[in-house]
Amino acid sequence: MMKEGSMEPKRGAMHRKYWFDYLFSGGGLFLLVLFFGKFYYLMELKLPLSYDESYYWDWSRKLDWGYYSKPPMVAWLIYLSTSLFGATELAVRLPALLSQTGFLVIFYVLVFRYYGELVARKLLFTLAFVPIFFLYSFIMTIDPPLLFFWALFFYGFVEYLRKGSLFWSLFSGVALGCALLTKQTSFILYLLSLIYLFLFERKLFSQPKSYLLFLTALLLYFPNLYWNIKHQFLLFKHTEEHFQRLRPEAEYYFNFWIGLFLLFGPLFIPLFFYQGFSVLRKLRIYLQALKRNELPYDKFLLKILLLSFFFSFPPLLFFILASFFTELNHNWIMPFFSFSYLWVTLLSLQRQKMRLLFNLNLLLCASLSFLLLVLPLRPELFGIKAVLLFKKFYGWKELAKAVEPYYRGDIPIVVSSRELASSLAFYLPSHPEIYVVRAERAPQNQYHLWRETKELIGKEVLFIQKGSSEPPYLEKPKTLERLKLNFYGMEKSFSIWQGTFKDIRELEGDKTAR
């Protein structure tokens, strides 16, 4: 699995006492230049918010312990940023850049501390240019803060394994609790941590401080759980729906596997499988050597490697196998991959041929990341699939500009989808509160929890929808404007109407009769 003596403790690194000591280095300078380079790019980026980003921004205007489809962390972070810098595209996306930078800093400091500066720099450069990580520096979803809190938990958990102190138990518990408040995937990390302690750290597992770690995480998560109880477990129902997309089409398999290689590293994926199965073959031998303390190198350094392996390879094998039976998105497995770069880097640097592949992968990833910078500026250069990637970003500013002359503060805006609601709420200068038609009994988005369209029955409303057909929700609808937009050959159409809002229950009765 590794050469003897290749994991000796780096004493010079251990003499650095504080985090800032590690950042006064070549890697620290790289992080600084990278951050300001990305920040400048973000300032100059003319890409409008996607409807998901504006949706999370709209959540941030009504702080709560939970929302329809996600825990509250994404809304809290956007609230902090926009409170300081205003409701701008830059302010909405800034937490993504800060989260991604924090993620890199944590892994750099951790590896520098235990494996030395050379290995830390290799890992830092690799993580910095992994295309999917690089991309999430500029798009604000739940995933950038999730990466940050997973990395923060890993750092705290490593220190807890080493020192077994109350401080690191609480630190890890708070980081894990924040991860739970960011995305429900973190329950897998919670479970993996429990299993790891039970299997490999039985003495630590039996200590009250370990129970405090997991109890702290649950206590932090409890308000969101209570919110879900009050709202009939909407979050869990929404999560369950994701795994009901069975029998994927052939195109899905092609896109998933091509995406796996392009987003995580063209040569990293082969290294991941090769090194991963190599570890599995020798795992029993090394665990026995760990137990008997018969290692020619530092025992704790091997523990860190095996911990990062345990948090990534087994769950990723499960998800990759599951991808043959149900549709998965790459961002769902992204946080597990974040741990895998640690052990793959450490093992790849032990052998000349693996090191060459590893360095070539770094070069390819840096090239792909550079292309990602160009992509939003000239998507037409990359073909129709690249253009389609940006469909969710374009058209909202133009639609808001078209709606603005017809909008009066005393007339409600009703729309046909949450994409329209969030985008108009952000891009209309007055940032109005918008209603979304609810045609089904169960709520389908956060707007259905906030505002009921039944209170608009008999009132004059401004109605905006995709397409140009006459809306069934208005009596005597009057067409104000039909809008056709074209971006790089991709067409979007909207229509703006005015009329008296109908009782939707009558429409449901008509459907039943038919």
Side-chain angles (χ1 to χ4, degrees):
M1 188 162 74
M2 64 196 71
K3 292 180 181 178
E4 293 187 359
S6 62
M7 294 182 66
E8 294 175 358
K10 311 298 179 186
R11 292 176 185 172
M14 296 294 282
H15 287 163
R16 296 175 185 250
K17 189 175 181 183
Y18 302 107
W19 273 47
F20 283 112
D21 295 336
Y22 295 97
L23 295 176
F24 280 101
S25 61
L29 179 61
F30 171 78
L31 281 164
L32 193 66
V33 171
L34 186 67
F35 172 79
F36 281 107
K38 287 179 176 179
F39 183 75
Y40 177 78
Y41 178 82
L42 203 55
M43 286 179 63
E44 296 298 314
L45 185 62
K46 303 304 180 187
L47 186 68
L49 294 184
S50 70
Y51 51 71
D52 286 327
E53 291 175 294
S54 55
Y55 190 37
Y56 299 141
W57 165 80
D58 220 355
W59 290 4
S60 75
R61 297 201 290 168
K62 292 181 180 292
L63 294 183
D64 205 339
W65 282 104
Y67 298 92
Y68 172 79
S69 57
K70 302 291 183 293
M73 185 62 72
V74 64
W76 295 354
L77 294 176
I78 292 174
Y79 170 80
L80 287 174
S81 182
T82 53
S83 295
L84 291 171
F85 305 110
T88 65
E89 293 166 353
L90 176 63
V92 171
R93 287 172 171 157
L94 185 58
L97 176 56
L98 294 173
S99 297
Q100 178 63 12
T101 303
F103 161 75
L104 294 176
V105 167
I106 291 166
F107 270 110
Y108 176 68
V109 170
L110 176 69
V111 176
F112 194 158
R113 179 168 189 179
Y114 289 105
Y115 298 97
E117 186 174 3
L118 179 62
V119 179
R121 280 208 307 265
K122 283 283 186 182
L123 180 65
L124 173 61
F125 295 155
T126 301
L127 290 176
F129 294 114
V130 172
I132 194 168
F133 298 160
F134 192 82
L135 175 67
Y136 276 113
S137 300
F138 309 110
I139 305 298
M140 184 53 186
T141 67
I142 54 176
D143 296 298
L146 184 69
L147 283 176
F148 172 76
F149 288 120
W150 278 45
L152 194 65
F153 167 73
F154 187 76
Y155 185 95
F157 198 62
V158 164
E159 292 300 304
Y160 180 59
L161 293 179
R162 180 168 171 258
K163 299 176 182 176
S165 67
L166 178 63
F167 172 81
W168 288 111
S169 169
L170 289 172
F171 182 97
S172 304
V174 169
L176 186 54
C178 289
L180 292 172
L181 288 171
T182 305
K183 193 173 183 178
Q184 49 272 38
T185 311
S186 300
F187 280 106
I188 302 175
L189 182 61
Y190 188 100
L191 185 61
L192 286 170
S193 307
L194 271 171
I195 295 171
Y196 179 86
L197 287 179
F198 178 77
L199 292 178
F200 308 118
E201 300 285 345
R202 196 67 64 87
K203 186 182 290 186
L204 200 57
F205 178 78
S206 62
Q207 292 187 14
K209 284 177 284 191
S210 297
Y211 294 108
L212 185 61
L213 186 162
F214 296 102
L215 180 61
T216 300
L218 283 181
L219 285 174
L220 283 174
Y221 179 71
F222 181 76
N224 181 250
L225 177 62
Y226 179 68
W227 183 94
N228 274 285
I229 291 170
K230 286 200 309 180
H231 292 85
Q232 292 78 49
F233 293 98
L234 279 175
L235 174 62
F236 300 100
K237 290 176 184 176
H238 174 78
T239 305
E240 183 184 359
E241 289 170 5
H242 284 311
F243 295 95
Q244 293 175 350
R245 296 182 286 184
L246 301 175
R247 298 180 183 175
E249 297 179 358
E251 186 182 3
Y252 156 76
Y253 295 114
F254 177 79
N255 290 335
F256 179 81
W257 281 96
I258 290 295
L260 209 60
F261 281 84
L262 292 179
L263 292 173
F264 294 100
L267 296 178
F268 175 79
I269 297 301
L271 284 171
F272 169 82
F273 283 113
Y274 176 80
Q275 301 285 23
F277 285 113
S278 175
V279 172
L280 280 182
R281 285 196 301 270
K282 299 178 182 179
L283 189 59
R284 186 177 176 184
I285 298 170
Y286 279 88
L287 287 175
Q288 289 174 348
L290 260 176
K291 199 171 184 179
R292 295 194 300 266
N293 202 21
E294 296 174 353
L295 294 168
Y297 34 74
D298 187 87
K299 177 179 179 180
F300 190 70
L301 299 188
L302 182 61
K303 275 192 177 182
I304 298 174
L305 184 148
L306 292 177
L307 178 65
S308 63
F309 176 83
F310 184 79
F311 279 175
S312 56
F313 195 73
L316 282 170
L317 272 188
F318 169 79
F319 280 115
I320 288 169
L321 286 172
S323 72
F324 289 99
F325 306 99
T326 185
E327 292 186 21
L328 299 180
N329 295 334
H330 293 104
N331 64 307
W332 297 356
I333 57 178
M334 179 177 67
F336 298 100
F337 265 114
S338 69
F339 296 130
S340 68
Y341 288 90
L342 175 53
W343 57 268
V344 172
T345 300
L346 290 169
L347 297 180
S348 297
L349 295 179
Q350 308 304 316
R351 296 169 59 184
Q352 180 69 24
K353 289 182 180 178
M354 295 296 107
R355 196 182 307 130
L356 287 172
L357 287 175
F358 183 84
N359 290 334
L360 182 56
N361 178 72
L362 174 56
L363 183 62
L364 291 171
C365 283
S367 302
L368 287 170
S369 293
F370 175 75
L371 288 177
L372 283 176
L373 293 178
V374 179
L375 187 60
L377 307 178
R378 297 292 302 276
E380 75 280 5
L381 296 178
F382 299 88
I384 185 62
K385 286 202 171 184
V387 171
L388 289 173
L389 286 174
F390 291 94
K391 190 174 183 180
K392 61 166 62 177
F393 295 90
Y394 288 119
W396 313 119
K397 278 186 176 181
E398 291 76 9
L399 177 61
K401 191 173 180 180
V403 170
E404 189 179 354
Y406 305 109
Y407 175 61
R408 308 190 305 269
D410 60 340
I411 180 170
I413 296 179
V414 184
V415 298
S416 57
S417 66
R418 63 103 172 164
E419 293 93 335
L420 289 168
S422 61
S423 302
L424 287 172
F426 184 83
Y427 282 111
L428 281 170
S430 58
H431 302 307
E433 293 186 344
I434 295 178
Y435 292 80
V436 178
V437 167
R438 179 172 168 178
E440 299 180 29
R441 287 187 178 183
Q444 301 299 305
N445 53 65
Q446 186 63 34
Y447 295 103
H448 292 161
L449 301 181
W450 281 338
R451 293 178 279 278
E452 290 276 5
T453 48
K454 64 183 179 183
E455 65 189 48
L456 300 178
I457 295 169
K459 293 183 179 179
E460 186 183 18
V461 300
L462 197 62
F463 187 85
I464 298 99
Q465 65 176 7
K466 297 177 183 177
S468 58
S469 59
E470 186 175 294
Y473 308 103
L474 303 180
E475 290 181 6
K476 298 179 181 178
K478 175 186 174 184
T479 311
L480 298 180
E481 190 170 341
R482 285 185 169 91
L483 200 63
K484 280 195 174 182
L485 304 172
N486 192 291
F487 300 94
Y488 307 108
M490 178 182 63
E491 191 174 276
K492 279 188 172 184
S493 65
F494 305 99
S495 54
I496 307 169
W497 303 76
Q498 190 168 336
T500 305
F501 196 73
K502 285 183 182 179
D503 188 344
I504 298 178
R505 288 171 295 182
E506 291 180 7
L507 295 175
E508 291 175 349
D510 292 341
K511 288 178 185 177
T512 305
R514 286 196 293 270

